[in-house]
Amino acid sequence: METFGARLHRAVAERGPLCVGIDPHPGLLARWGLPDDVEGLDRFCRIVVEAIGDRVAVVKPQSAFFERFGSRGVGILESTIRQLRNSGSLVLLDVKRGDIGSTVSAYASAYLDPSSPLYVDAVTASPYLGVGSLAPMFELAAAHGGGVFVLALTSNPEGAAVQRAVGADGRTVAQTVIDEISQLNRGAEPLGSFGLVVGATIGDTGHDLAAVNGPLLAPGLGAQGATAADLRTVFGSALPTVLPSYSREVLGAGPDEAALRAATDRVLGECRAALATA
Ligand SMILES: O=c1ccn([C@@H]2O[C@H](COP(=O)(O)O)[C@@H](O)[C@H]2O)c(=O)[nH]1
């Protein structure tokens, strides 16, 4: 079985270093001339998949925008995941789950067990009940070639107060998360399956990402103000493992599929240029 890290490495080599988010904000549905209901959500997702599913390495549906429509919205998430998988992109579900270990087991089954209707290639997870509490996710991901991206240094300004707080051992909370994920990826080739989320907005925080040996998802580009040129400052020598992520910056070009593809190609070009300087 090929690991998620290997599959991601291959997808990025073939399609380029880019993740595009599917975030059907009410404002975007309106701009696309779609109703703010399940039919509008379905149409929005179908257009995005048709436009970019066969050209982007990773697509990241944001679960919140599906959950807000209840069970029918989750049904659209399931069908969107299926369509994305058929289009050849890897699916990273942005769902930021975390809980005590026994409950994390159920989250792991929901997203990382191939028999689940919500089965995806990778999920985002929250480490604030302790990185160790996410072990059931790591184990099921490893068993089935899946991946987990753990929040480390998020792109929002409020994250710093928690993530940069310093513990008794002198390390920040974020550095503890970084170090524990680095351990999980030790020796993995060509890339570990356990990633981190590090916002492109955060500047140089002095955190050491050099030993992670796993993918570094970088949201915050475009709508939140960061540019591809900021990636070097944030990631330094870890730049080659960065997976830049854009949602509204690309989605704002829709609903025209050619315009969505053009926006995707533009940001991919910017990211390629930024990462090539590594
Ligand atoms: O630190 C984080 C973690 C996750 N996100 C998510 O990424 C997208 C960003 O959307 P944009 O439209 O490109 O701003 C969104 O789904 C967030 O929940 C993040 O922004 N920062």
Side-chain angles (χ1 to χ4, degrees):
M1 181 201 54
E2 198 177 17
T3 65
F4 174 73
R7 293 192 294 131
L8 177 61
H9 191 263
R10 186 160 44 82
V12 166
E14 288 171 5
R15 296 185 171 195
L18 183 64
C19 169
V20 173
I22 302 185
D23 294 49
H25 288 260
L28 276 173
L29 291 171
R31 274 177 57 191
W32 285 31
L34 295 170
D36 188 14
D37 60 19
V38 176
E39 282 69 37
L41 176 73
D42 186 35
R43 185 81 197 110
F44 185 99
C45 295
R46 286 180 188 279
I47 291 171
V48 176
V49 175
E50 190 60 32
I52 65 163
D54 63 354
R55 62 174 53 207
V56 175
V58 182
V59 178
K60 181 176 78 66
Q62 171 51 262
S63 185
F65 291 107
F66 297 83
E67 291 175 40
R68 79 186 184 96
F69 293 109
S71 60
R72 293 185 66 208
V74 175
I76 303 295
L77 177 59
E78 289 175 11
S79 63
T80 302
I81 290 167
R82 273 196 304 276
Q83 292 161 38
L84 286 168
R85 294 176 71 86
N86 289 338
S87 75
S89 56
L90 296 176
V91 185
L92 165 57
L93 183 61
D94 197 345
V95 70
K96 298 186 184 69
R97 293 297 192 243
D99 208 313
I100 61 169
S102 51
T103 302
V104 167
S105 291
Y107 284 135
S109 302
Y111 307 117
L112 298 165
D113 183 328
S115 67
S116 167
L118 283 169
Y119 172 60
V120 285
D121 297 288
V123 286
T124 55
S126 170
Y128 301 119
L129 278 80
V131 176
S133 68
L134 299 174
M137 278 197 191
F138 301 143
E139 286 158 15
L140 207 60
H144 296 294
V148 182
F149 288 76
V150 179
L151 302 178
L153 291 154
T154 59
S155 64
N156 58 318
E158 303 86 352
V162 174
Q163 295 151 13
R164 299 187 209 177
V166 177
D169 65 0
R171 290 182 298 169
T172 64
V173 171
Q175 192 64 53
T176 306
V177 174
I178 293 165
D179 293 346
E180 291 196 42
I181 296 303
S182 304
Q183 279 298 322
L184 294 178
N185 288 325
R186 264 183 72 182
E189 286 181 21
L191 187 68
S193 297
F194 304 107
L196 293 168
V197 179
V198 178
T201 48
I202 64 172
D204 180 3
T205 62
H207 285 84
D208 183 4
L209 294 161
V212 177
N213 190 32
L216 301 170
L217 183 74
L221 294 155
Q224 293 177 52
T227 68
D230 293 322
L231 295 172
R232 167 168 286 280
T233 310
V234 176
F235 293 97
S237 65
L239 210 47
T241 54
V242 172
L243 181 63
S245 184
Y246 295 81
S247 300
R248 285 167 288 180
E249 176 74 12
V250 169
L251 300 172
D256 181 71
E257 289 183 18
L260 281 167
R261 281 191 282 273
T264 300
D265 291 347
R266 173 178 57 78
V267 296
L268 177 57
E270 290 169 11
C271 292
R272 277 190 197 282
L275 300 191
T277 61

